[in-house]
Amino acid sequence: MTAPVAPAVRRRVLVRGTVQGVGFRPYVHRLATDLALAGFVSNTASGVLIEVEGPPAGVADFCDRLATRPPPLASVTGVGFEDLPVTGADDAFTIRSTDRSPGRTQLPPDTATCGDCLRELADPADRRHRHPFVTCTHCGPRFTIATGMPYDRAVTTMAGFPMCADCAREYGDPGDRRFHAQPVACPDCGPRLRLVPATGSGVRPARDGDALATARALLAAGRIVAVKGLGGYHLACDATDARAVDTLRARKARGGKPFAVMCADLDAVRRIAEPTAPELAALTGPRRPIVLLRRTDQRVLAPGVCPGSPHLGVMLPYTPVHTLLFGLAGDPPGPRALVMTSGNRSGEPIVTDDDEALTRLAGLADAWLAHDRPIASPCDDSLLRVRPDGTEQVLRRSRGYVPRPLRLPVAVRPALAVGGDLKNALCLGEGDQAWFGPHIGDMGELTTLEAAVRAESGLRHLTGVSPELVAADRHPGYHSAGWARRRAARLPCTAPVFVQHHHAHIASTMAEHGLDGTTPVIGVAFDGTGYGDDGTVWGGEILLADYTGYRRFAHLAAAPLPGGDAGVANPCRLALARLWAAGLPWDPDLPSVTACAADELALLHRQLTRDLACVATSSMGRLFDAVSSLVGVCHRARYEAQAALELEAAAAMAWDADTSAYAFGFAAGACDPAPVLAALVADLRHGAPAPVLAARFHRGVARAVAEVCRRARRQTGLTTVALSGGVFANALLEEECARLLTGDGFAVLRHGEVPPNDGGLALGQLVVAAHGRQEE
């Protein structure tokens, strides 16, 4: 006897998460067809809607695989099931058109070109051979071309490129890798490249393959080319050509700030660095960020690429244009490593519009390699470092990450957090999810503020969040705070929620690690500048904090900051102010003294003794700057954090050779650096080299952190420490603090996907504002 056939069942499935633009519907179609199930799948504004009918075992297997084995770029956050009456109306499994009813789903980030597309790009027999915009459901632009949701071609910047018959056939075939790949294109249907030379350059305009060939030749000849990428323009030059690099640095007025480098392939990377296995994974993964690597050969690249730093920001090509720019087999040779820096002038946002690029980058570029696919959302490159344990610390969260949501440990009402004025990145939140916008930059220019306003509008359209609340930093002079007031005026709420800077830093760490805030943490917030409760500049803070509030348990002892923010560019003055506060003389043999002219010393002395144009600061970032000058490393800073970065580089040279540490003093809740400075000056006079002094200082700061945390534990019983703030981008300090604290029995929270600097500030503002805390 044959076994009885089980009656059919029908089930409705709603899959939520990043499930559009990642090949999810064709995956569902293939899965259902393989299991001989009937029904349909459709995109909706809430996710992917499926109705499936067939034998119970097949339906159960189908539902299990949806959640456990999704397509490579998908991220499933929830699967809902509902049993329905069997209809028998479906003869097969079909893909239906998008349902545009209200709801919310997730859009994937832009993704690097996949291996299959790269093979087609290099295959002379393939119809997409050398096509600069080859893409499929597994790779290519998503966030930067989307103008709305649900994600369909009609709401992307590809809407203006009608598909040819071949592309339309692939687009409509559920078995094809390009089924409903919204950016799908080929040489017949566009987009198209063009090269626009600078006036008077003697270079002829070109299109398509000739444009690429000309751009490659210009780069090989030492010229600077503005290259349009996924999220904006880069300024590119040959990274091995000292004259080209120095010219780019001068034109962009970049000072000594390191440039990022794009290498043609891993062989080119290994000529300048020896990446570890986790660093290789970060370099070659679908996000393709800039990864900080330790340089092994100082001779390959031009000295001006990365002066004063042992680390180099390296990335691999992530678009077909980049791959073709380096050249395929048989192409004339060109550079194997290119400087790839953001296409902007210092202090301005990245350029995305073609006409604007011709004007804003005039005088910087010798030619423009452009294309006619518009960029809907600017998105700069992401930047990260990989720790020795293989975990990643994202320092700039943008392309490859945005707009992927973060899961919140606490529910928030619909809200906008605008971040701070440096490294600005905004954040939208609702329910248990938060969405960072792309990296905007420093809010000192009108163009940057306008870029932030556009980024917020674009993110609202893509996420469906309509803010009812606005959160901002409580610094009264911040441009971001002014924007928050204007933004809140258009909402039912009467004013933004203003959150103390360092409280937001600690809250962002807690939120990233999933803490619900019921138990406070010991928060160590070290950075350069934050508006304090007493009107002074904070930045060396140990807080007892949860989402509802905080208490300042301890802090770095304050010292005058002569000239306020203007003094930050002069670490030698900061060093002398710290010596003055510690009661130590300005002896003429000290490097910081010799770095100042006589009239500068006299003016500085009058400022300090009469308290003129000085503001008190407890900033740990400013102490690092001061010590950098005091040991003779950096006296004048030409870019943000230069002095501290070069001090870290010096310390790394002696880190394994010298394990001693300077000792801070402790009194009345203050960590006093006066003993550190006195010991450092004594060692300096005894001929100790700068790397040894720098290493002892780093270890001294870490030991002071451990000691203050022990004191906090004795008083409160708290055993969890959160490390946040821009100073913890310092790998030596962060690793040493974590080692000491973990060894002393603390649970240590460090940033991963959320930057420790002000790029992660908005997340903390969001969760603090959700708890109704007004900190004005």
Side-chain angles (χ1 to χ4, degrees):
M1 293 180 59
T2 58
V5 178
V9 297
R10 188 175 184 91
R11 184 170 293 177
R12 177 178 291 152
V13 185
L14 179 62
V15 186
R16 295 178 299 277
T18 305
V19 291
Q20 294 185 19
V22 295
F24 205 91
R25 286 183 297 170
Y27 160 76
V28 169
H29 182 275
R30 288 192 296 271
L31 177 59
T33 301
D34 290 346
L35 294 171
L37 302 176
F40 67 87
V41 59
S42 173
N43 275 347
T44 76
S46 299
V48 170
L49 176 67
I50 306 162
E51 288 193 15
V52 62
E53 186 173 306
V59 171
D61 190 14
F62 173 88
C63 292
D64 177 66
R65 291 198 216 178
L66 281 180
T68 59
R69 284 179 272 177
L73 299 185
S75 176
V76 175
T77 59
V79 183
F81 302 104
E82 178 186 357
D83 289 328
L84 301 173
V86 174
T87 67
D90 301 294
D91 296 328
F93 195 89
T94 60
I95 298 175
R96 293 187 179 178
S97 59
T98 296
D99 177 356
R100 298 193 174 277
S101 56
R104 175 182 296 140
T105 190
Q106 313 296 346
L107 180 71
D110 293 356
T111 305
T113 314
C114 70
D116 288 335
C117 285
L118 287 174
R119 281 187 287 273
E120 293 173 344
L121 186 72
D123 182 2
D126 193 278
R127 74 186 191 90
R128 289 188 173 86
H129 180 229
R130 294 187 177 273
H131 179 51
F133 304 95
V134 59
T135 183
C136 69
T137 53
H138 302 311
C139 67
R142 300 293 190 273
F143 170 67
T144 53
I145 64 170
T147 58
M149 290 294 286
Y151 179 68
D152 273 324
R153 192 177 180 97
V155 286
T156 72
T157 59
M158 289 298 296
F161 298 92
M163 285 182 280
C164 68
D166 288 334
C167 285
R169 184 176 61 254
E170 294 168 337
Y171 184 86
D173 180 0
D176 194 280
R177 196 173 92 250
R178 294 188 169 88
F179 176 76
H180 277 241
Q182 309 308 339
V184 66
C186 75
D188 291 334
C189 47
R192 307 290 296 275
L193 279 177
R194 68 184 185 278
L195 184 108
V196 182
T199 303
S201 65
V203 179
R204 297 181 63 181
R207 295 187 68 85
D208 302 326
D210 290 339
L212 276 164
T214 304
R216 190 184 314 115
L218 287 170
L219 292 168
R223 308 293 284 276
I224 297 165
V225 179
V227 180
K228 187 177 181 181
L230 286 179
Y233 276 83
H234 286 106
L235 291 169
C237 73
D238 183 351
T240 67
D241 186 327
R243 183 175 179 179
V245 171
D246 292 345
T247 298
L248 176 56
R249 188 172 291 284
R251 288 182 184 179
K252 199 174 177 184
R254 192 177 171 88
K257 188 175 182 179
F259 283 129
V261 171
M262 179 179 283
C263 290
D265 48 35
L266 287 177
D267 287 341
V269 173
R270 291 189 175 100
R271 291 188 65 205
I272 56 177
E274 293 181 3
T276 64
E279 288 170 341
L280 280 173
L283 276 171
T284 59
R287 292 174 182 160
R288 294 290 170 94
I290 301 169
V291 180
L292 289 177
L293 303 178
R294 182 167 289 277
R295 296 175 67 174
T296 55
D297 193 330
Q298 304 288 333
R299 299 166 299 173
V300 176
L301 301 182
V305 169
C306 195
S309 174
H311 291 96
L312 183 68
V314 178
M315 59 180 160
L316 290 171
Y318 55 85
T319 73
V321 171
H322 295 140
T323 300
L324 293 168
L325 195 58
F326 284 109
L328 300 179
D331 284 336
R336 306 306 291 164
L338 294 172
V339 165
M340 280 282 187
T341 187
S342 299
N344 55 9
R345 295 183 182 274
S346 294
E348 294 185 354
I350 189 170
V351 177
T352 59
D353 180 77
D354 298 334
D355 292 337
E356 191 178 3
L358 294 174
T359 56
R360 283 178 55 192
L361 302 183
L364 276 68
D366 298 310
W368 287 255
L369 183 61
H371 59 76
D372 54 358
R373 182 180 68 200
I375 296 172
S377 296
C379 203
D380 219 327
D381 295 316
S382 294
L383 171 68
L384 62 81
R385 71 176 179 91
V386 180
R387 299 186 178 99
D389 64 1
T391 60
E392 295 178 359
Q393 183 191 54
V394 174
L395 300 173
R396 185 168 69 209
R397 189 181 189 275
S398 204
R399 179 186 52 76
Y401 291 87
V402 174
R404 193 177 75 175
L406 297 168
R407 180 63 61 89
L408 296 176
V410 292
V412 301
R413 60 191 286 198
L416 162 67
V418 301
D421 268 20
L422 297 179
K423 297 179 172 63
N424 180 268
L426 59 89
C427 191
L428 287 174
E430 183 175 0
D432 66 349
Q433 291 187 312
W435 295 264
F436 269 106
H439 168 80
I440 299 296
D442 299 346
M443 302 281 275
E445 300 284 339
L446 177 61
T447 52
T448 312
L449 181 58
E450 291 171 343
V453 172
R454 290 194 299 270
E456 188 253 339
S457 176
L459 198 60
R460 273 192 293 112
H461 282 97
L462 294 180
T463 62
V465 175
S466 297
E468 301 171 1
L469 181 69
V470 179
D473 193 279
R474 60 174 299 199
H475 193 300
Y478 268 9
H479 298 285
S480 55
W483 172 38
R485 290 187 179 92
R486 294 189 295 274
R487 183 69 179 84
R490 305 200 304 270
L491 300 176
C493 58
T494 57
V497 174
F498 290 100
V499 180
Q500 201 279 328
H501 190 89
H502 301 97
H503 185 200
H505 270 309
I506 300 307
S508 73
T509 321
M510 295 171 64
E512 183 177 8
H513 283 270
L515 272 63
D516 62 9
T518 56
T519 302
V521 301
I522 303 168
V524 183
F526 287 173
D527 62 6
T529 299
Y531 189 75
D533 293 343
D534 54 5
T536 66
V537 177
W538 287 9
E541 312 308 310
I542 293 88
L543 309 177
L544 307 179
D546 56 22
Y547 296 134
T548 63
Y550 64 94
R551 176 166 70 88
R552 196 185 194 196
F553 179 79
H555 57 88
L556 183 69
L561 177 61
D565 288 344
V568 174
N570 298 282
C572 53
R573 299 180 191 176
L574 303 178
L576 297 180
R578 270 292 173 186
L579 290 175
W580 184 86
L584 297 172
W586 293 358
D587 293 328
D589 61 332
L590 295 178
S592 301
V593 177
T594 59
C596 296
D599 56 347
E600 185 178 13
L601 289 171
L603 174 62
L604 186 60
H605 187 267
R606 284 197 300 272
Q607 283 185 280
L608 293 171
T609 55
R610 301 178 186 178
D611 195 23
L612 298 174
C614 290
V615 60
T617 180
S618 61
S619 166
M620 184 61 75
R622 299 290 81 83
L623 180 62
F624 269 77
D625 292 345
V627 171
S628 184
S629 173
L630 196 57
V631 304
V633 169
C634 178
H635 302 303
R636 311 287 182 183
R638 293 177 293 168
Y639 62 90
E640 184 200 1
Q642 177 183 352
L645 286 170
E646 293 183 0
L647 184 69
E648 179 189 0
M653 297 169 61
W655 193 252
D656 295 328
D658 189 290
T659 59
S660 55
Y662 296 127
F664 283 73
F666 299 95
C671 304
D672 185 4
V676 171
L677 300 175
L680 192 152
V681 168
D683 285 347
L684 190 65
R685 290 216 168 92
H686 283 93
V692 169
L693 303 177
R696 291 174 181 175
F697 172 70
H698 276 73
R699 293 188 193 279
V701 174
R703 293 185 188 184
V705 168
E707 173 59 27
V708 174
C709 290
R710 283 192 291 270
R711 295 184 181 205
R713 180 170 59 188
R714 286 195 293 269
Q715 290 190 27
T716 66
L718 298 177
T719 58
T720 298
V721 179
L723 306 179
S724 191
V727 169
F728 284 111
N730 182 315
L732 289 180
L733 180 67
E734 194 214 40
E735 288 295 327
E736 185 68 359
C737 286
R739 185 185 70 83
L740 294 175
L741 291 166
T742 302
D744 210 4
F746 288 98
V748 181
L749 310 181
R750 299 190 283 177
H751 282 287
E753 188 171 324
V754 177
N757 52 46
D758 285 7
L761 203 65
L763 179 64
Q765 294 171 350
L766 191 76
V767 292
V768 170
H771 284 74
R773 176 70 186 226
Q774 178 62 264
E775 298 182 351
E776 275 196 292

